[in-house]
Amino acid sequence: MLAAATAAAFTGAAWAQETLKIGLLATLEGPFAAPGQDSMRGADLALKQKNGMAGGKKVEFIKASSDATPDKAVAATRKLVEQDHTPIVIGPLSGDEGIAVKNYAKTQPNTTFVNGSSGAQAATWGDPAPNFYRFNTEGAQWMVGLGEHALAKGYKRTFLIAEDYGFPYSQVQGFMASYCAKGGKVVDKAWVPLGTKDYSSVIARIPKDVDALLVVLGGSDAVNFLTQYEQAGGNKPMIGGSITVDQTVLNYKGKRRESLLGTASAGPMADSIDTAEWKKFVADYKANFKDGFPSPSLFAYLYYINTKATLDALDAVKGDLSNGQKAYRDALQKTNFKGPAGIVKIDENRNGVGTTYITEVAKAPDGSFYNKVVKVVPDITQTLGLPKEQFMKMGLGSRDVPDCRN
Amino acid sequence: MSAAQWRNAMNSGAASARPAPLATPVAEPLAHGELPSWLQRLGRHIGVRHVVVLLALLLYPAVANSFFTFQIGAQSLALGLVALSLTFLGGYGGMVSLAQMTVAGLAGYLVAIFGSSSLAAISLGWPWWLAVAFAIVLATLFATAVGWLSVRTEGIYTIMITLAIGVAFFYLAQQNYTLFNGFQGFNKIFPPKVLGIDFRAATPFYYLTLACALAGYFFVKLLVRAPFGVALQGVRDNPRRMHSLGFNVTAHRVAAYAVAGLLAAVGGVLLVWYNNRISPGSMNTGAMINILVIAVLGGMNRPIGAFVGALVFVLLQNFAIDLVSRERFNLVIGGVFLAIVLFSPNGLVGIWTQLRARLGARKAIHTPRRQQ
């Protein structure tokens, strides 16, 4: 075992002259295994579009896996950096993993880390690592503009149901930042543990006089909540988070399915973006991955833009990673290209400044449901459109920040 | 089957499944008349292989890169220490507790709560030595309490009750925000700098874990030959007889839990320094069972088994992904575990003893018999 491992390490070193190795980390195990696979497809697609070359060298991905826990993400990253000696690492997938990898990045100044799809604010805000880059926007940015949209629909008082961890905190903050400033109220908040099966006590708490529910749950949690809310006879309209109203929820077969129509949500992409770049991206994805999803997932898209930025910058410096990767990092900082869903560029904290799509659930002619783009909000910064001082005064999103109750 | 019959069946089963500790020279020199000093006895037991292994462990960071030193070496030693606590409890005390990772996790949490972390609102910011001392003492007390609760049960019931305690603590940590900070736990828990040595660096941290692991290993080695350890093995093999001989069976078992708790707590402090963070996921059911897997993989009847098991476990976790397709590497891990458990009930150390026995038997045929 040990011998095999060291042998692998030596042969790896001998190859380094001809090929450039880039570490690629996603979750191939655990609750996010399916999204993890799709994120690998996104990264592979970006490399395929360049015929496997960047900066004049053949690029080889060394793939690594975590199970969405920060410990495992750091262990896998450490193996890529210290054992496989990859000068660049792309990943990880989930929020808390991103914070852990950022903290590890500080101990490895000679390696460049590019985020995969982690959407935790703290990965780049507050205490950033100088060698950690995130070309996508994060969880709070994805919800900017949804607050105004909710107010325009007449939802002045809402009740919040969200999972109790970092990503929903960020999403809720992104929603509230503008919603509360313009007079909206979130009258009460129900934070439920990830993977909650029974929502009856939460549903009993929903006041009668709210206009809508803000539901920031993902996957099976969202489906469980919807089913139980329907059984309890609930009829309030919903506003969803970025991963709440995805295909798993839209395909849900309950009686209340029709009432999902018009549910607003927001995110960094949408299935129905009507631009040539997006259509080409979807066509390329479908052509390359017969075993993939009907349309690229959020994770495939985020890994795609981060990988594309990584490879384009290698082209810009002709593969020169000398001098502590200084020229390469300057090129990364200057990244500015038109991605499938808007301009990809970063700010001085190396965090994405990008576009958010406000969508509503609509019915296609064939009877299936999809998210229709109703509004495009470009150039969203990490301070959510607020001046920096005002954002810092509010602080990062948590259970009680911002409050917005009264 | 009555309770007494069941207990007898469990005891005789346990005794026949575990012949090695009695077969080794451990039991023989313990006739109560001759009790030479510990050092003398230690000297008699040190062979060439011990010196070789010790030298290899000491020189390891000089030949290995930082990845092998830290992620393979230090992690194996720290996990091995937690597994050693289970080997002691299970192999010598006959009590399989799943809560050893919980004890380790509690020690880690207490280091974060008493010491410093990124969460200034909860962490008290005590000096590291005070935080570590309190963490180890409190976690050991917790382990003693777990023992006190579970010693009245045997076999599968001990496993169930310790599993229940572990899962309960996992949910407590996940849902309590005032003390454990819920799902996210604590970040930025760094090992200290002492006398200018930064234990965050790979090599110093490796030596720190090595020192703790060696201390734990020899502690267990000595303890199982001490009157307490021998009495504990007696309790394991026949509690009724020990009781009639005047030994307090319950007290011995609870004390074994306390000793195991101490080992697990030290391992837990090392693990939290290794990860720089702790969250409920660090001690969920998966992590609890990993400790059992490590102990069984290495072999429960020798203290060294815990460390051998941990090394193989960590190597598999890190390198299985390089051997087969990226999506299927967990199959290799599972396959190796299955093969080892299937072919050697006493784990990897059991394979080693079998090989030695076989080679030794062959040698005995070819060479004239030697008397010592």
Side-chain angles (χ1 to χ4, degrees):
Chain A
M1 185 75 232
L2 191 64
T6 39
F10 282 123
T11 49
W15 271 89
Q17 279 91 43
E18 299 93 5
T19 61
L20 177 68
K21 294 190 293 179
I22 295 182
L24 180 59
L25 167 69
T27 52
L28 300 177
E29 313 154 62
F32 290 110
Q37 272 188 329
D38 206 42
S39 60
M40 293 262 178
R41 290 188 197 110
D44 284 337
L45 182 61
L47 184 58
K48 267 190 184 160
Q49 285 180 348
K50 299 172 92 72
N51 295 319
M53 304 279 288
K57 289 179 188 165
K58 192 174 178 311
V59 171
E60 184 198 350
F61 283 139
I62 308 285
K63 293 183 179 175
S65 164
S66 84
D67 56 0
T69 61
D71 298 357
K72 206 80 186 279
V74 171
T77 310
R78 189 182 287 122
K79 173 170 176 282
L80 290 172
V81 174
E82 296 179 29
Q83 176 62 22
D84 299 326
H85 299 292
T86 59
I88 303 164
V89 174
I90 300 171
L93 182 135
S94 81
D96 288 349
E97 289 183 297
I99 298 171
V101 168
K102 179 262 289 186
N103 284 332
Y104 171 70
K106 288 186 175 179
T107 67
Q108 299 294 334
N110 294 321
T111 306
T112 297
F113 297 80
V114 180
N115 183 53
S117 61
S118 162
Q121 289 172 298
T124 53
W125 187 262
D127 183 25
N131 50 344
F132 185 87
Y133 292 78
R134 174 157 69 187
F135 293 93
N136 58 292
T137 49
E138 37 82 344
Q141 292 170 281
W142 296 348
M143 296 286 271
V144 171
L146 188 60
E148 282 100 333
H149 185 73
L151 283 172
K153 289 181 71 124
Y155 304 154
K156 290 204 168 53
R157 293 163 61 80
T158 51
F159 178 83
L160 167 73
I161 302 115
E163 286 148 346
D164 203 351
Y165 72 103
F167 178 69
Y169 296 161
S170 305
Q171 290 247 290
V172 170
Q173 182 182 33
F175 175 84
M176 286 188 184
S178 53
Y179 183 71
C180 305
K182 300 211 166 131
K185 296 272 175 281
V186 176
V187 293
D188 205 354
K189 301 172 185 170
W191 296 105
V192 298
L194 196 62
T196 297
K197 307 265 183 308
D198 181 1
Y199 291 87
S200 47
S201 63
V202 173
I203 290 168
R205 264 175 66 191
I206 300 174
K208 286 217 164 55
D209 61 344
V210 294
D211 302 317
L213 305 178
L214 173 59
V215 182
V216 187
L217 304 169
S220 59
D221 286 1
V223 176
N224 280 335
F225 172 74
L226 272 182
T227 319
Q228 292 171 28
Y229 187 56
E230 174 191 326
Q231 283 164 356
N235 57 358
K236 303 284 182 199
M238 266 182 23
I239 313 162
S242 300
I243 58 168
T244 306
V245 203
D246 65 359
Q247 286 300 325
T248 52
V249 174
L250 291 179
N251 292 332
Y252 137 92
K253 295 283 190 294
K255 279 183 229 144
R256 261 194 94 232
R257 183 163 184 259
E258 289 290 322
S259 71
L260 280 176
L261 282 174
T263 296
S265 65
M269 57 161 262
D271 297 338
S272 64
I273 300 174
D274 199 16
T275 62
E277 291 87 10
W278 180 258
K279 284 177 176 156
K280 179 180 180 305
F281 174 62
V282 175
D284 276 2
Y285 175 90
K286 282 184 180 165
N288 277 293
F289 307 109
K290 301 283 179 241
D291 58 340
F293 294 134
S295 166
S297 69
L298 173 67
F299 299 97
Y301 165 71
L302 296 177
Y303 268 78
Y304 172 82
I305 57 170
N306 278 306
T307 309
K308 186 166 160 57
T310 308
L311 300 175
D312 283 357
L314 274 171
D315 278 343
V317 297
K318 300 190 172 55
D320 172 24
L321 292 176
S322 59
N323 197 13
Q325 307 192 351
K326 189 177 176 310
Y328 177 62
R329 286 178 193 172
D330 289 344
L332 279 177
Q333 189 68 52
K334 288 197 200 101
T335 296
N336 190 333
F337 66 87
K338 209 165 181 196
I343 301 289
V344 175
K345 61 184 180 190
I346 51 175
D347 62 17
E348 72 279 3
N349 282 339
R350 295 160 298 284
N351 187 71
V353 177
T355 310
T356 288
Y357 294 83
I358 312 281
T359 60
E360 282 187 4
V361 177
K363 203 173 191 174
D366 65 354
S368 65
F369 283 19
Y370 73 107
N371 280 307
K372 184 179 164 210
V373 177
V374 293
K375 199 170 158 199
V376 182
V377 192
D379 286 324
I380 295 165
T381 59
Q382 201 172 14
T383 57
L384 312 176
L386 302 173
K388 194 173 174 185
E389 292 70 36
Q390 205 182 326
F391 181 78
M392 285 176 73
K393 209 176 127 199
M394 176 165 62
L396 289 188
S398 72
R399 303 182 110 212
D400 304 314
V401 176
D403 186 45
C404 199
R405 272 175 225 258
N406 34 50
Chain B
M1 196 184 262
S2 75
Q5 275 175 315
W6 170 252
R7 197 170 297 145
N8 276 337
M10 290 300 294
N11 286 336
S12 58
S16 62
R18 225 180 286 102
L22 295 178
T24 50
V26 179
E28 292 164 24
L30 276 164
H32 278 290
E34 33 147 348
L35 255 184
S37 82
W38 289 116
L39 269 179
Q40 261 181 332
R41 184 172 297 176
L42 195 65
R44 208 192 304 160
H45 284 283
I46 285 183
V48 181
R49 63 197 165 101
H50 296 111
V51 178
V52 170
V53 169
L54 194 64
L55 270 180
L57 283 172
L58 285 174
L59 294 176
Y60 176 70
V63 288
N65 63 16
S66 64
F67 168 77
F68 267 96
T69 306
F70 191 71
Q71 188 149 325
I72 304 295
Q75 195 190 357
S76 301
L77 290 168
L79 274 177
L81 199 54
V82 181
L84 176 66
S85 77
L86 177 57
T87 301
F88 173 73
L89 210 52
Y92 295 93
M95 298 169 284
V96 176
S97 158
L98 280 178
Q100 294 314 105
M101 196 62 207
T102 307
V103 174
L106 176 65
Y109 263 112
L110 290 173
V111 168
I113 291 167
F114 291 133
S116 47
S117 76
S118 62
L119 259 180
I122 297 177
S123 294
L124 298 174
W126 292 358
W128 70 270
W129 51 268
L130 197 61
V132 168
F134 264 82
I136 292 177
V137 168
L138 287 178
T140 308
L141 283 178
F142 172 73
T144 316
V146 170
W148 183 76
L149 259 177
S150 54
V151 285
R152 278 149 238 277
T153 58
E154 291 203 15
I156 191 98
Y157 303 106
T158 310
I159 296 183
M160 291 307 291
I161 202 166
T162 50
L163 176 69
I165 290 168
V167 171
F169 188 63
F170 164 76
Y171 278 110
L172 172 70
Q174 190 172 46
Q175 297 185 7
N176 176 294
Y177 282 81
T178 46
L179 203 54
F180 295 104
N181 196 35
F183 184 81
Q184 295 187 300
F186 295 81
N187 268 313
K188 294 192 189 173
I189 309 156
F190 297 126
K193 280 182 189 160
V194 186
L195 305 172
I197 304 167
D198 182 5
F199 282 100
R200 222 183 140 185
T203 309
F205 187 73
Y206 170 80
Y207 282 119
L208 177 68
T209 51
L210 180 62
C212 293
L214 284 177
Y217 173 75
F218 285 112
F219 175 61
V220 170
K221 281 285 244 193
L222 292 180
L223 193 64
V224 297
R225 290 182 181 123
F228 167 70
V230 178
L232 185 66
Q233 291 170 64
V235 167
R236 172 197 68 195
D237 292 337
N238 198 331
R240 279 185 152 190
R241 185 176 294 175
M242 292 303 282
H243 183 70
S244 8
L245 286 173
F247 286 90
N248 186 336
V249 170
T250 307
H252 273 79
R253 286 181 169 166
V254 174
Y257 267 97
V259 169
L262 175 68
L263 293 169
V266 174
V269 172
L270 291 174
L271 278 177
V272 78
W273 280 346
Y274 166 81
N275 285 316
N276 297 153
R277 58 182 311 289
I278 188 158
S279 59
S282 315
M283 40 165 216
N284 60 10
T285 332
M288 286 155 67
I289 289 176
N290 280 351
I291 295 300
L292 181 66
V293 167
I294 289 172
V296 172
L297 196 62
M300 293 267 265
N301 54 10
R302 297 280 182 81
I304 195 70
F307 296 100
V308 176
L311 178 65
V312 171
F313 182 82
V314 169
L315 281 175
L316 273 174
Q317 273 210 327
N318 277 285
F319 291 106
I321 193 166
D322 293 338
L323 298 179
V324 280
S325 118
R326 313 285 169 188
E327 282 82 32
R328 303 277 173 268
F329 68 95
N330 276 323
L331 269 181
V332 177
I333 301 183
V336 171
F337 290 160
L338 213 69
I340 289 174
V341 176
L342 208 61
F343 291 113
S344 171
N346 285 331
L348 288 165
V349 177
I351 295 180
W352 165 251
T353 348
Q354 274 177 21
L355 274 179
R356 258 166 54 108
R358 226 175 257 179
L359 289 178
R362 206 168 291 165
K363 230 191 256 170
I365 296 170
H366 291 299
T367 55
R369 189 181 287 174
R370 253 182 327 170
Q371 287 287 351
Q372 278 190 338

